[in-house]
Amino acid sequence: MVSGAVANIFLDWLFIFPFGMGIKGAAIASGLGQIISCLVLSIHFIRKKGILRFRLIRPGQDLCRKVAVRGLPEFVVQLSQPITIFCYNQVILKLSGESGLAAFSAISYLITIMMGLFFGISQGLQPLIGNSYGAGNRSHVAYFFRSGLKINLTCSTLLYLVYFFLGDKALSLFLDNPVLVQSAHSSLKVYGLAFIIASVSIIYMTYFLSTKRTAQALIISVSRGFVFNSILIFTLPVIFGAGWLWYPLIISEALTMLIAVGLKQYYTAAGRSLVTVK
């Protein structure tokens, strides 16, 4: 991953500036970065250092259905971020014009770092929880789940504090207007709170995915990405004014977290009842 990212950064500079290829060069650089990552990963299989091997299979309908169903919540999560940004773009353009849109674009770059961190942690937890669940080790499942919550909450809080105190320095990398930088920083202080809450919901969704509760994971991902976000972004600023522009996501993430906690408690209680009956 590091080799691909570094190559992408270098090739972006090489193709855009010395070669003067513009956006086309950036696209080629991104593709080459992915190819380099793939080549580095393929060394593991070429040298046969592990037990995984490539072989031809004939996937049946049942396997394809399982893969599609298991991957649906993650697909919705990945889709939710651009949908949220699209909705905000429409509202901000009407309320604040192009300057507000430029400020939001800079904020989105910083928020992408937070989300990348959360999803990296959740993807690292998924095989650990899944393996423990498959082995029937409920204590390990609970341990990894609690650890994920603690790690995500700690990281999100620390990163938010960095943005709170030093966010103007980071935003100035993308914006050259000091007034716009200060405006964006003030917005980031409010908008960033939503992602502390989101870090909790992401771990709950990972828990449900890893324990084969796909429907519950889908409820969380759809709530975050489509239901609450879209409705609140288009309604709250219109009803209460531009001052409420950054609160829809906070409310949306809070409602999603409450649903996630409620689902976890319900199925935990149901599982205990089942054990008691037996």
Side-chain angles (χ1 to χ4, degrees):
M1 298 304 294
V2 171
S3 64
V6 171
N8 191 1
I9 293 170
F10 171 74
L11 293 174
D12 270 333
W13 168 81
L14 181 67
F15 291 155
I16 293 174
F17 296 107
F19 291 173
M21 297 175 65
I23 296 298
K24 180 180 179 181
I28 295 173
S30 297
L32 290 175
Q34 294 294 330
I35 291 173
I36 290 171
S37 292
C38 185
L39 290 175
V40 172
L41 288 168
S42 66
I43 294 173
H44 176 84
F45 299 98
I46 294 172
R47 298 178 63 183
K48 298 182 179 180
K49 296 183 68 174
I51 61 173
L52 294 178
R53 297 287 185 273
F54 286 114
R55 67 184 180 90
L56 294 176
I57 62 169
R58 184 177 295 176
Q61 280 189 335
D62 186 54
L63 176 60
C64 292
R65 183 186 62 81
K66 285 182 178 179
V67 171
V69 170
R70 296 286 187 271
L72 186 59
E74 184 67 22
F75 166 74
V76 174
V77 168
Q78 296 297 331
L79 193 62
S80 66
Q81 188 71 5
I83 287 177
T84 300
I85 292 174
F86 174 78
C87 293
Y88 259 116
N89 282 345
Q90 302 304 308
V91 176
I92 291 171
L93 194 58
K94 291 181 180 179
L95 296 176
S96 305
E98 293 182 1
S99 60
L101 202 57
F104 178 64
S105 297
I107 292 171
S108 298
Y109 295 144
L110 300 184
I111 293 302
T112 299
I113 297 173
M114 294 184 78
M115 296 304 294
L117 177 64
F118 304 154
F119 284 120
I121 292 169
S122 69
Q123 288 175 5
L125 278 172
Q126 193 166 342
L128 298 174
I129 296 176
N131 185 58
S132 301
Y133 177 78
N137 195 330
R138 296 179 62 179
S139 63
H140 280 191
V141 171
Y143 169 75
F144 289 128
F145 172 71
R146 289 194 303 268
S147 298
L149 288 178
K150 292 176 183 177
I151 293 169
N152 256 15
L153 272 174
T154 301
C155 291
S156 61
T157 303
L158 290 176
L159 197 52
Y160 172 78
L161 291 175
V162 171
Y163 287 166
F164 189 92
F165 292 107
L166 302 173
D168 54 340
K169 305 292 189 301
L171 290 167
S172 63
L173 298 173
F174 308 103
L175 303 169
D176 55 5
N177 187 328
V179 176
L180 201 56
V181 169
Q182 290 305 316
S183 175
H185 190 206
S186 299
S187 302
L188 179 61
K189 291 177 181 179
V190 180
Y191 188 65
L193 288 170
F195 295 91
I196 297 179
I197 307 172
S199 67
V200 175
S201 301
I202 289 169
I203 295 299
Y204 272 92
M205 192 193 70
T206 300
Y207 167 81
F208 285 125
L209 275 176
S210 304
T211 55
K212 294 185 177 181
R213 294 178 174 92
T214 308
Q216 289 72 37
L218 187 60
I219 290 172
I220 296 172
S221 59
V222 169
S223 298
R224 286 190 69 248
F226 295 96
V227 180
F228 297 133
N229 276 359
S230 303
I231 294 174
L232 294 175
I233 289 171
F234 283 112
T235 55
L236 289 186
V238 174
I239 297 172
F240 299 106
W244 277 73
L245 185 60
W246 305 111
Y247 290 97
L249 196 61
I250 296 176
I251 298 172
S252 171
E253 293 294 355
L255 291 172
T256 302
M257 186 186 70
L258 290 175
I259 290 174
V261 172
L263 287 171
K264 174 74 163 53
Q265 290 181 341
Y266 173 79
Y267 284 99
T268 301
R272 287 172 182 168
S273 300
L274 187 62
V275 171
T276 303
V277 170
K278 286 183 179 180

